[in-house]
C-alpha cells in the first residue's frame, strides 16, 4: 500500500463512520456485535477498547494500516445495511462507498469481487422473497463444496469469512418446522468445515463448539456415515489442538460405532484408520494393528458410488505408515508413507502433503539418513508456507527436535534458516 492509497483509504473510512454519527467506540461495538452474531471468535471476544485502537489505526494516514480480510467482511456486513436495518447494496450506498474505500487502500479486485459475492449471498433476495428453500439449500451446498475445495490454496481466514453467511443461513433455515435431509446434510458440512477452519486459525474453543453443532445436526440424519465423518475430523482436531489422547480415543471409538451404522465403507475405513493412529500414539500397537486390519478389510469393499470414496487404500497406507513410525518400524514406515505421499496429487491434498512429507522425513531419519530427512522437511516448509496448515507446522517443529544430534551440520543450519525466513519471519 502506497502513502497515497493509505491517505485516501483512511479519509474514506473516517467519512463513512462520521456519516452515521459514530465515534470510534461506536464502530468498534458494531464490529464486535456483528462478529458475535456471525460466530467469528475474533474480534467477538476482544474488548471494545482494543477494537477501537484498531479502527483508529485504519483512519491514521501515517499508520498506513488497512483492515484485514476478517474486518473487511465485518465492515461490509455493517455498511451493507442502512441505519434502519434495511439492506442497501446499490450505487451511492454505504456499501458501495466502502468498496471504493477498500479500492483506495489498494485491495485486489479479486478480493473485492469475493466480498461482493459473500454479501450478496448473505442478503435476502428482494426480487424473489418467496424463493424456495430447497433452491437456496442447493445454492448454499454448492458454495460449501467450492469453499471446501479451496482449503490449502486460499487463506483460511478468507474461507472463514466466505463461509460465515452460509452458517448464518443454515441456522435460520434449521429453525423451520421440519428440516429436509438436504438441509441437514448442508448444515452438517458447513459446521464441520467451519470447525476445521476455526482450528486452522487457532480458535480452538469455537472449533469444538462448531463440531458439537455438526454432530448434533448429523445425528438427525437417518444414515450415520456423515456423523462418523464429523467425529473422525473432531478426533484429529482434538488430538492436535489439545494432545488429549483420552478425549481423542473416545471420539475415535464413537466414530467407528456410527460408521458401522452408516452405508459408506470409505467412512468406515477412515474411522478405523483414525482409531488406529490414536491407539498407536497412545502406545498400544496391538490395538492399532487390529484397527488397521479392520480398515484394510473395509476399504476393499469400496464402491464407485460412495460419496466419501476419496478415502481409499492409499490413505490407509498413510495411516499404517504413521503407526509403523510410532512403533519404531522405520523401513516399513518409509515404504508405506512413500506410497501415500505419491498419491497426494490433488489441489485439495496440499495440507496433507505437508503432513505426509514430515512423517516421511522422520522415517528417513529413523533409517539414519538425516540429510534425506532435511530434504523432505524443506519441501514441507514450502508447502506449509503456501497452505498455512497448522498440523504440518506442528509436525515440522517435532521433526526439527529429532534433528538435535545433527545440529552442528550445515544442512540443519540451512533448514533452520529456511524455517525462520519462510514460516517465522513472515
Amino acid at each position: 500500500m502506497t502513502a497515497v492509497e493509505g491517505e485516501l483509504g483512511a479519509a474514506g473510512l473516517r467519512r463513512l463512520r462520521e456519516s452515521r454519527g459514530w465515534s470510534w467506540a461506536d464502530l468498534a461495538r458494531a464490529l464486535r456485535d456483528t462478529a458475535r452474531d456471525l460466530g467469528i471468535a475474533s474480534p467477538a471476544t476482544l474488548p471494545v477498547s482494543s477494537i477501537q485502537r484498531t479502527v483508529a489505526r485504519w483512519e491514521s494516514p501515517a499508520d498506513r494500516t488497512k483492515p484485514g480480510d476478517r474486518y473487511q467482511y465485518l465492515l461490509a456486513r455493517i455498511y451493507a445495511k442502512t441505519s434502519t436495518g434495511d439492506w442497501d447494496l446499490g450505487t451511492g450506498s454505504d456499501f458501495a462507498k466502502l468498496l471504493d474505500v477498500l479500492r483506495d487502500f489498494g485491495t485486489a479486485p479479486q478480493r473485492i469481487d469475493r466480498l461482493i459475492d459473500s454479501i450478496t449471498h448473505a442478503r435476502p433476495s428482494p426480487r424473489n422473497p418467496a424463493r424456495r428453500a430447497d433452491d437456496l439449500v442447493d445454492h448454499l451446498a454448492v458454495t460449501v463444496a467450492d469453499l471446501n475445495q479451496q482449503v490449502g490454496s486460499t487463506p483460511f481466514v478468507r474461507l472463514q469469512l466466505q463461509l460465515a453467511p452460509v452458517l448464518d443461513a443454515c441456522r435460520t433455515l434449521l429453525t423451520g418446522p421440519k428440516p429436509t435431509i438436504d438441509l441437514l446434510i448442508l448444515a452438517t458440512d458447513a459446521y464441520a468445515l467451519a470447525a476445521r477452519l476455526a482450528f486452522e486459525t487457532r480458535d480452538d474453543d469455537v472449533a469444538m463448539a462448531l463440531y458439537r453443532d455438526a454432530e448434533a445436526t448429523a445425528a438427525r440424519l437417518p444414515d450415520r456415515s456423515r456423523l462418523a465423518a464429523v467425529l473422525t475430523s473432531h478426533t484429529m482436531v482434538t488430538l492436535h489442538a489439545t494432545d488429549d489422547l483420552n478425549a481423542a480415543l473416545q471420539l475415535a471409538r464413537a466414530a467407528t460405532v456410527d460408521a458401522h451404522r452408516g452405508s459408506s465403507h470409505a467412512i468406515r475405513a477412515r474411522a478405523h484408520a483414525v482409531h488406529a493412529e490414536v491407539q498407536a500414539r497412545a502406545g498400544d500397537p496391538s490395538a492399532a494393528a487390529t484397527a488397521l486390519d479392520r480398515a484394510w478389510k473395509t476399504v476393499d469393499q469400496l464402491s464407485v458410488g460412495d460419496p466419501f470414496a476419496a478415502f481409499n487404500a492409499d490413505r490407509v497406507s498413510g495411516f499404517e505408515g504413521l503407526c509403523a513410525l510410532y512403533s519404531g518400524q522405520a523401513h516399513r514406515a518409509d515404504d508405506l508413507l512413500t506410497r501415500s505421499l505419491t498419491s497426494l496429487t490433488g489441489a485439495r491434498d496440499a495440507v496433507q502433503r505437508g503432513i505426509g512429507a514430515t512423517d516421511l522425513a522422520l522415517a528417513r531419519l529413523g533409517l539414519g539418513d538425516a540429510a534425506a530427512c532435511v530434504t523432505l522437511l524443506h519441501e514441507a516448509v514450502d508447502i506449509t508456507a503456501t497452505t498455512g496448515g497448522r498440523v504440518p507446522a506442528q509436525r515440522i517443529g517435532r521433526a526439527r527436535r529429532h534433528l538435535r544430534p545433527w545440529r552442528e551440520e550445515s544442512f540443519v543450519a540451512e533448514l533452520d534458516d529456511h524455517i525462520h525466513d519462510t514460516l517465522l519471519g513472515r
Side-chain angles (χ1 to χ4, degrees), residues 25 74 104 106 122 148 180 189 223 305 313-314 344 366 370 380 396 426:
L74 293 174
D104 288 339
N148 192 39
T180 64
D189 292 348
D223 190 311
D314 291 328
L344 298 173
I396 289 167
R426 291 190 300 167

Side-chain angles (χ1 to χ4, degrees), residues 77 87 89 115-125 131 136 139-140 143 162 165-166 169:
R77 285 294 292 246
W87 289 80
L89 310 183
L115 198 57
I116 293 171
D117 191 51
S118 296
I119 298 302
T120 302
H121 288 166
R123 179 193 63 170
S125 173
R131 183 181 182 181
L136 178 57
H139 168 72
L140 294 176
T143 300
Q162 292 177 263
V166 179

